[in-house]
Amino acid sequence: MGGTMELQIDDVMLVPMYTIKVPTLLEFNRANRFHIERNFPTKQKDFYTLEAHQRHVLESLLNFERGDAYNFAVVGKGRKMIARASLYRVLRDNYLNAHISILVDYRHQHVGYGDKILKRLLKHAFEDLKLHKVSAEVMPTNFATVALLKKNGFVMEGVLRKSINVFGQWEDHAIYGLLNPNEPTVLD
């Protein structure tokens, strides 16, 4: 599923992460450092370096080609990066599911981009990739994301207790799931 697939949404476009210039991604992540560290913790000491981002862009290409993950940059006018979004942990065969993640630049939050991006990624997951289910893991205190998921039909399926270390504290993660609405349901 390689190539340079682009997904259009009104005034913005999702483009494969590997097509973005590395310094653009680095600037985006540095600008959103607080939100990344709170909601997407990383233990890589070199995460905010050019070299780490070069590796990330290369891994993005490899994952895209293998169909393991689809990492997108969301760009607006002038290819300004306003968000990043991913379908990752893509499983095939008997599973046909993936996890979803979206991070909107703090300067572009609360204007509807998260909802548009989520809807477009779900359309891609269910219609193009023919997945059965999409899941999201979110900190229960991330109220905006929880509301966005619920608004788009996700159902809370459980809590991974103390499953992620954020700033030295073990935190819970809630798991939300959405089944492909285009699939027929099987009744027992």
Side-chain angles (χ1 to χ4, degrees):
M1 182 119 225
T4 56
M5 172 187 10
E6 296 180 344
L7 307 175
Q8 185 72 41
I9 316 170
D10 298 333
D11 57 337
V12 298
M13 186 171 298
L14 280 77
V15 299
M17 188 68 73
Y18 62 82
T19 66
I20 292 296
K21 294 181 178 169
V22 174
T24 300
L25 178 60
L26 178 59
E27 188 279 323
F28 175 88
N29 284 338
R30 283 181 176 167
N32 290 280
R33 186 176 191 145
F34 174 78
H35 297 290
I36 290 169
E37 291 179 0
R38 180 71 186 130
N39 296 295
F40 305 92
T42 177
K43 293 297 182 194
Q44 297 172 328
K45 293 187 183 334
D46 69 341
F47 181 77
Y48 295 100
T49 66
L50 187 63
E51 295 77 18
H53 281 70
Q54 288 169 331
R55 286 192 308 271
H56 179 70
V57 168
L58 178 59
E59 288 168 7
S60 174
L61 171 61
L62 296 173
N63 286 332
F64 209 101
E65 289 293 329
R66 288 188 303 252
D68 295 337
Y70 302 92
N71 300 310
F72 294 96
V74 183
V75 295
K77 295 179 179 141
R79 285 190 63 92
K80 170 88 173 140
M81 189 170 167
I82 62 166
R84 67 181 203 197
S86 299
L87 285 167
Y88 64 101
R89 291 187 205 153
V90 178
L91 300 175
R92 306 287 180 183
D93 300 322
N94 293 336
Y95 297 97
L96 293 176
N97 63 41
H99 281 70
I100 196 165
S101 136
I102 299 169
L103 174 64
V104 177
D105 187 305
Y106 77 94
R107 297 164 284 200
H108 297 278
Q109 291 180 354
H110 309 294
V111 293
Y113 284 124
D115 188 55
K116 289 179 183 181
I117 295 164
L118 179 58
K119 282 177 171 43
R120 186 61 184 93
L121 269 183
L122 290 172
K123 178 178 164 101
H124 178 59
F126 293 140
E127 294 180 13
D128 301 332
L129 301 177
K130 307 289 189 218
L131 297 179
H132 167 70
K133 181 178 182 178
V134 173
S135 299
E137 293 181 14
V138 61
M139 296 183 70
T141 55
N142 187 340
F143 303 117
T145 300
V146 168
L148 177 65
L149 293 170
K150 287 180 177 180
K151 173 184 173 187
N152 283 279
F154 280 78
V155 175
M156 184 174 170
E157 297 182 338
V159 175
L160 296 170
R161 296 178 326 123
K162 308 295 183 206
S163 64
I164 190 162
N165 193 304
V166 180
F167 300 128
Q169 297 291 318
W170 288 101
E171 302 274 351
D172 294 346
H173 249 161
I175 300 177
Y176 286 81
L178 179 67
L179 298 177
N180 186 337
N182 305 318
E183 286 184 346
T185 56
V186 178
L187 301 175
D188 295 336

